[in-house]
Amino acid sequence: MFELKNVTKSYLTPKGRRYVFRNLSLSIPPDKNIGLIGRNGAGKSTLMRLLGGADIPDSGSIVTDKSISWPVGLSGGFQGSMTGRDNIKFVSRIYGAEGEAMREKVRYVQEFAEIGDWIDEPIKTYSSGMRSRVAFGLSMAFDFDYYLIDEVMSVGDAQFKRKCAEVFQQKLQQSKVVLVSHTMPEIEKLCDIVLLVRDGGIQIYEDVAEGIKAYNT
C-alpha cells in the first residue's frame, strides 16, 4: 500500500522553481503491479523516486508498509574507486546480509553478471555494459515487495536479456513492480493498474486498457 498525503515536490531550475506536484493526496491500491505512464516531463520518474524513498517531498508524506527496491539496474550508485566485490558487500551490509549471506550475494552477482575476476577491479574500470550487468544482478540478489523499473530493464546481448527477463519473472511470482515506461505493450503485459501522471495530478485506472486509452488521447 502507498498513501500520499498532501505531497508537494518541486525543483529549482535556471528559470525558477518548477513544481511537479502540489498538495497531492492519493491512495494506491495494494498488491498490484503499477504502471506509471505520462508524457515526457510529466513527473513519472519523480513519482517513482518518491515512492522508493530515493527523493523526498518538499512537504507532505508518503506512507507504505512494503519494502521497496532502488531502481532496478541503476549503476549510478556505485562508488567508482571501490571494486565490484566491495560495492556488493557495501550494499549487502545496508540490507543486513553479513557473513555467509554476504558471500552468497557476492557469488550470485559475480555469476549473474558474468564478470569473472573483474569483480576485484575498481568499478570505474568497467565498461558501461559490465556496470549495468552488475547493477541488474545486484538488484536481483535481494528480495523486495516492490521492484522499481524505469524504462530499461535489461542490458547486453540477446542471451543476457533473456536471462534478465527470466529471473525477473521469477521475482514477480512473489513481488510486485512499479514500472515507468512509454512502451504500452509492456505496461499491458506486466501491470494490473495504471497511474496516469499529467498536469501535476495522478489519475488511477484499474482498467489498464482504459488508462492507456486516456494516455493516447
Side-chain angles (χ1 to χ4, degrees):
M1 181 275 295
F2 294 97
E3 186 173 0
L4 285 69
K5 300 179 179 180
N6 298 314
V7 168
T8 293
K9 181 62 184 177
S10 66
Y11 296 101
L12 192 59
T13 73
K15 295 182 179 180
R17 186 163 294 279
R18 175 181 175 269
Y19 283 85
V20 183
F21 304 114
R22 290 180 187 262
N23 299 318
L24 178 67
S25 294
L26 183 74
S27 291
I28 301 174
D31 301 320
K32 302 286 187 181
N33 291 313
I34 302 165
L36 302 184
I37 62 176
R39 301 299 176 191
N40 286 333
K44 304 181 300 297
S45 294
T46 296
L47 177 59
M48 188 185 73
R49 290 194 300 271
L50 290 170
L51 294 177
D55 205 345
I56 59 174
D58 301 348
S59 60
S61 61
I62 299 172
V63 179
T64 183
D65 57 353
K66 302 297 185 181
S67 62
I68 317 296
S69 80
W70 59 86
V72 167
L74 180 67
S75 58
F78 289 136
Q79 214 293 322
S81 62
M82 290 168 54
T83 66
R85 183 186 303 276
D86 286 339
N87 272 277
I88 297 165
K89 289 167 69 175
F90 178 78
V91 173
S92 296
R93 289 189 189 97
I94 291 174
Y95 287 92
E98 299 280 357
E100 181 56 35
M102 178 190 292
R103 289 188 284 275
E104 176 56 34
K105 300 299 184 190
V106 173
R107 285 193 294 268
Y108 177 89
V109 177
Q110 182 181 23
E111 180 179 337
F112 185 92
E114 302 171 2
I115 61 169
D117 292 340
W118 278 94
I119 196 169
D120 290 312
E121 299 296 333
I123 284 279
K124 63 184 178 184
T125 65
Y126 290 14
S127 68
S128 60
M130 289 170 64
R131 285 195 300 270
S132 295
R133 295 201 306 272
V134 171
F136 194 93
L138 186 57
S139 298
M140 295 298 101
F142 294 87
D143 294 324
F144 296 99
D145 294 323
Y146 282 88
Y147 286 88
L148 304 182
I149 311 289
D150 194 347
E151 289 292 355
V152 179
M153 204 164 66
S154 58
V155 294
D157 58 21
Q159 180 179 349
F160 190 78
K161 288 181 180 179
R162 284 196 296 271
K163 182 165 74 169
C164 289
E166 288 171 3
V167 70
F168 192 69
Q169 287 298 326
Q170 293 172 9
K171 290 291 185 182
L172 290 186
Q173 299 299 313
Q174 303 295 329
S175 305
K176 300 300 179 184
V177 65
V178 178
L179 173 66
V180 173
S181 181
H182 290 285
T183 307
M184 294 304 109
E186 191 173 44
I187 293 289
E188 288 183 303
K189 178 182 178 181
L190 289 176
C191 300
D192 304 314
I193 65 172
V194 160
L195 273 59
L196 177 57
V197 184
R198 65 181 174 191
D199 301 327
I202 300 172
Q203 295 170 273
I204 298 179
Y205 291 89
E206 300 202 33
D207 183 323
V208 172
E210 185 181 343
I212 291 173
K213 181 179 178 181
Y215 166 75
N216 287 328
T217 57

